[in-house]
Amino acid sequence: MAKITMREAINQAMRLEMARDPDVILIGEDVAGGRGCPVDDKEAAGGVMGVSAGLYGEFGAARVIDTPITESAIMGAAAGAALTGLRPIAELMFADFFGVCFDQVYNQAAKFRYMFGGQHGAPMVVRTMVGAGMGAGPQHSQAIYPIFAHIPGLKVVLPSGAYDAKGLLIQSIRDNDPVMFCEHKMLYGEEEEVPEESYQIPLGEARVVREGSDVTVVALGRMVHLAVEAAGELEEQGISVAVIDPRTISPLDVDTILDSVEETGRVVVVDEATPICSMASEIASMIVSDGFSSLRAPIRKVTAPHTPVPASPVLEAGYAPTAASIREAVEAVYNYR
Amino acid sequence: MNLDEAALRHAYETMRLMRIFDETGRREFLAGNLPGFIHMYCGEEAIAAGICAHLTDADYIASTHRGHGHCIAKGCTIEDMALEIFCRRDGLCRGKGGSMHIADLEKGMLGANAIVGGSAPLAVGAALKIKTRGDSNVAVAFIGDGASNQGTVFEAMNLAVVLKLPAIFAYENNGYAEMTGVDYHCGSGDIAARAGAFGMPAHKVDGTDYFAVHEAMAAAVEHARAGKGPVSIECVAPRWYGHFEGDPQAYRTKEEIAELEQTRDPLTLFRERVMAESTLTEADFAAIDAAVSERIEAAMDAARKAPLPEPADLYTDVYEVYD
């Protein structure tokens, strides 16, 4: 099996689905390559991060659609096209930009199925970039997916690597409801073994990344890698850490988390998003409600602080959780009584 | 006036259904029988009728909070609409949408919309679907004068021009954005010219004149179906009622409203012209009026007595699958 990057895995997923279903289109800023008609198909940039490179050459301007900088119209057009029969993939370049277009997603697309009495939903995927780590500053670095998860009618996917990204994106494109597919910008270049053929990963099924019997770490997105790193170090100290990657935060695989908590009784939840009204809070609250009798220590949350994301690399280094901060939290819950 | 008698009868009946549906709905609202809000379309009937006369079920419209007229013109059955405004179990949206969200996808009616300016990007999306599939249909966004100032509408117009989509932006300038007059809220004072500046043909017509709307839409549809891109039509037709039922309308005089009813009634204007220029008579119109009233009373009566949603319906149709 070949090792490819998460960028390539996402590209493969789109290519496979576009080849399979003529109703799948890709629409967004520079997704073809800029100005809708690149000088050379093969050189088409395929978005600011090159994630859709080559799709224009293969599927043409009718299905790989460059737009102006016009996020409301992109999201609204995707919603309207989805309501009437297409399966659009709409690229919202940075998730931070949801602020100028979210009405089309949360008041329109997310509510069609319910508001129209089940007549039709909006089978669309919003692919969007999240996360800190490249000094992009307060308006290009946020992990605002807890806001998406708050909205009934939306599904929210947060892959931690290339293999999951491909299977989850194919599943998301075939899903008949709107899916917010959140791609961490620092993971695009990370490689994993990925099969060439098409495969699907169901939404709402967590992955047990690592078995463990002393402490359960639930980690999201890029944090999964840091949690695994911390778990390896802790093992040398004799602490057995389970790492669970929910992969989708709406729906959330409650059972897999609770099964692990039943064994360990000690929990650390790790997320790069800010802490208030967050998925870390949600997961901790769920465990307290539904797994209270298993708990042997207070749940610790390891998150970003309640601040914007700074541009300065020095400050940004202190923003997101680290393997060290995860390890410290695991030790604290492990040593609690 | 080059419409045959059947088309004239249909146009009048459609407008009459709108008028009586809303007036009867208002009565039910004031009696406390309808939840939420109701927004009256009276005075604007010729717009929806003239626009939708050119559409089939395979064409799309995206509507506004003042959407009952659009629904009727697009072919939604008033019986199903009545059930929905009463929020009954068997309404078009199972009682979950209500007056501001009536939708009927089989008729190409993509929903009334309670977000002002929400319709335009959705219609652009429907137009994108049409173009992607290589069809020759059109998608119409109804947009109020208030919504004409929204960024979503500007973005939608620009994208439709850039992608050359078969979208038609039907502006309904009814004089007021909620309580604020168009002379105050529209900076340039000219909605059609502003739309035209986006790079599309822009018509401006008297929206109380069915024939003027019909003619402008004929040109717009021909342009859009031919793959030449979007068109806008500003239809000027002052509304007779407040923004919502219960609006005390302190921002305008009773005389203004009375004069509108006297001089700008689209149904009266239609009747007078048609009687002068065709074989239809006063009696023909009276017969349509009687049939419409009877049908709407029956629909409202049935809706009032219809079963309510079951409590468990609260939880259905959020997602197709979620677990």
Side-chain angles (χ1 to χ4, degrees):
Chain A
M1 208 183 305
K3 271 194 153 190
I4 61 170
T5 62
M6 190 171 91
R7 174 191 286 110
E8 290 164 322
I10 292 167
N11 183 288
Q12 276 188 11
M14 291 193 286
R15 183 186 305 269
L16 285 164
E17 285 306 286
M18 291 186 77
R20 173 183 168 271
D21 181 352
D23 284 336
V24 178
I25 61 168
L26 174 65
I27 182 168
E29 292 154 16
D30 304 329
V31 294
R35 74 191 190 92
C37 46
V39 178
D40 178 340
D41 292 357
K42 300 214 167 33
E43 295 301 317
V48 287
M49 293 295 188
V51 179
S52 51
L55 298 183
Y56 176 88
E58 194 163 343
F59 300 105
R63 294 180 62 202
V64 181
I65 303 165
D66 271 347
T67 68
I69 297 174
T70 188
E71 286 86 5
S72 272
I74 296 166
M75 293 302 131
L83 183 62
T84 53
L86 296 187
R87 289 187 175 275
I89 305 166
E91 184 173 301
L92 176 63
M93 190 184 294
F94 288 89
D96 312 66
F97 305 164
F98 90 96
V100 294
C101 65
F102 206 41
D103 182 72
Q104 297 297 322
V105 177
Y106 96 99
N107 266 326
Q108 311 294 345
K111 291 183 171 56
F112 287 157
R113 184 179 297 285
Y114 194 81
M115 185 162 76
F116 300 159
Q119 290 182 57
H120 205 283
M124 61 188 272
V125 176
V126 178
R127 282 187 41 244
T128 190
M129 214 189 315
V130 300
M134 56 185 285
Q139 297 173 343
H140 278 66
S141 305
Q142 295 166 88
I144 39 73
Y145 39 78
I147 295 177
F148 306 153
H150 188 69
I151 311 298
L154 294 181
K155 296 182 179 179
V156 186
V157 180
L158 194 57
S160 64
Y163 179 87
D164 282 353
K166 181 172 173 180
L168 289 166
L169 183 53
I170 290 173
Q171 178 75 20
S172 298
I173 293 167
R174 296 184 193 180
D175 197 283
N176 284 331
D177 287 301
V179 178
M180 304 298 289
F181 194 88
C182 304
E183 302 164 6
H184 198 295
K185 55 176 78 69
M186 301 308 287
L187 295 177
Y188 278 138
E190 297 296 310
E191 291 187 340
E192 280 182 4
E193 289 192 343
V194 176
E196 270 185 43
E197 66 271 19
S198 179
Y199 59 94
Q200 293 165 260
I201 297 173
L203 307 186
E205 282 190 14
R207 181 168 67 102
V208 179
V209 183
R210 189 191 155 101
E211 303 277 356
S213 54
D214 293 326
V215 177
T216 301
V217 174
V218 183
L220 299 176
R222 188 172 76 88
M223 298 299 107
V224 172
H225 304 279
L226 303 181
V228 169
E229 184 185 334
E233 293 164 3
L234 288 157
E235 190 164 31
E236 291 168 16
Q237 299 172 33
I239 304 174
S240 168
V241 178
V243 176
I244 295 174
D245 174 4
R247 302 196 286 198
T248 70
I249 56 174
S250 177
L252 180 69
D253 182 353
V254 169
D255 293 342
T256 297
I257 296 170
L258 289 176
D259 284 351
S260 176
V261 173
E262 195 176 346
E263 186 181 358
T264 62
R266 300 171 196 272
V267 185
V268 173
V269 189
V270 189
D271 187 19
E272 180 182 325
T274 51
I276 298 176
C277 295
S278 64
M279 282 312 298
S281 304
E282 174 63 27
I283 291 166
S285 152
M286 179 278 291
I287 294 169
V288 170
S289 295
D290 299 343
F292 185 75
S293 59
S294 304
L295 286 176
R296 286 184 265 167
I299 297 170
R300 285 285 292 267
K301 296 189 294 178
V302 183
T303 68
H306 190 58
T307 69
V309 187
S312 158
V314 176
L315 298 176
E316 195 186 34
Y319 180 81
T322 60
S325 65
I326 296 167
R327 198 172 61 230
E328 193 180 307
V330 170
E331 286 166 351
V333 299
Y334 179 75
N335 292 322
Y336 179 85
R337 282 197 296 212
Chain B
M1 196 174 72
N2 53 1
L3 297 172
D4 64 21
E5 195 182 302
L8 292 170
R9 281 178 178 276
H10 178 73
Y12 182 75
E13 185 189 11
T14 302
M15 291 194 288
R16 187 72 186 175
L17 280 167
M18 295 179 202
R19 173 69 53 84
I20 304 303
F21 187 88
D22 269 1
E23 287 184 345
T24 314
R26 176 173 181 266
R27 184 193 72 200
E28 295 294 327
F29 179 82
L30 294 174
N33 295 333
L34 303 185
F37 304 103
I38 186 168
H39 301 84
M40 305 286 286
Y41 195 60
C42 298
E44 304 177 54
E45 293 91 342
I47 304 174
I51 296 284
C52 294
H54 297 278
L55 306 179
T56 71
D57 288 355
D59 299 304
Y60 297 103
I61 66 167
S63 171
T64 72
H65 57 286
R66 201 178 301 284
H68 300 166
H70 308 144
C71 294
I72 291 170
K74 197 65 175 60
C76 301
T77 55
I78 57 155
E79 288 76 11
D80 295 339
M81 289 174 58
L83 288 166
E84 190 56 36
I85 68 169
F86 277 84
C87 293
R88 294 310 200 248
R89 186 193 68 192
D90 299 324
L92 274 168
C93 303
R94 306 279 160 206
K96 289 174 174 171
S99 166
M100 287 198 287
H101 300 288
I102 302 180
D104 190 345
L105 297 186
E106 286 185 4
K107 300 283 185 190
M109 164 55 187
L110 304 181
N113 204 312
I115 304 299
V116 171
S119 64
L122 299 180
V124 164
L128 177 63
K129 175 257 184 177
I130 292 164
K131 187 174 178 187
T132 303
R133 292 259 181 96
D135 297 333
S136 62
N137 300 107
V138 300
V140 179
F142 286 100
I143 303 163
D145 54 285
S148 81
N149 297 320
Q150 287 276 40
T152 47
V153 175
F154 296 153
E155 289 193 26
M157 287 196 291
N158 184 56
L159 188 60
V161 171
V162 169
L163 300 181
K164 223 173 175 186
L165 299 178
I168 294 169
F169 300 92
Y171 287 99
E172 300 183 306
N173 180 351
N174 71 12
Y176 295 93
E178 293 201 344
M179 303 179 188
T180 302
V182 67
D183 51 352
Y184 178 92
H185 75 63
C186 181
S188 75
D190 191 339
I191 293 168
R194 198 164 58 185
F198 278 84
M200 69 181 95
H203 308 271
K204 182 166 190 160
V205 297
D206 177 354
T208 66
D209 178 351
Y210 175 83
F211 300 99
V213 176
H214 189 275
E215 191 182 332
M217 182 62 176
V221 162
E222 190 185 342
H223 182 94
R225 289 199 203 284
K228 294 177 181 172
V231 183
S232 69
I233 307 172
E234 179 188 354
C235 308
V236 181
R239 68 176 198 225
W240 292 7
Y241 289 89
H243 168 60
F244 55 93
E245 195 45 46
D247 171 2
Q249 300 194 71
Y251 47 87
R252 66 173 170 177
T253 64
K254 288 194 168 52
E255 290 72 27
E256 176 186 325
I257 298 165
E259 192 186 332
L260 286 176
E261 294 183 12
Q262 288 294 318
T263 64
R264 306 286 306 274
D265 181 346
L267 278 72
T268 302
L269 295 169
F270 183 93
R271 268 196 311 262
E272 286 172 353
R273 178 160 172 197
V274 169
M275 282 193 290
E277 299 180 26
S278 82
T279 54
L280 286 176
T281 64
E282 186 89 48
D284 293 321
F285 287 114
I288 293 171
D289 288 356
V292 162
S293 292
E294 190 179 341
R295 185 176 165 198
I296 286 177
E297 283 301 342
M300 294 287 179
D301 197 44
R304 209 181 299 114
K305 295 170 185 162
L308 299 168
E310 298 294 329
D313 294 343
L314 170 65
Y315 306 102
T316 59
D317 290 327
V318 182
Y319 300 89
E320 186 183 63
V321 181
Y322 188 78
D323 52 30

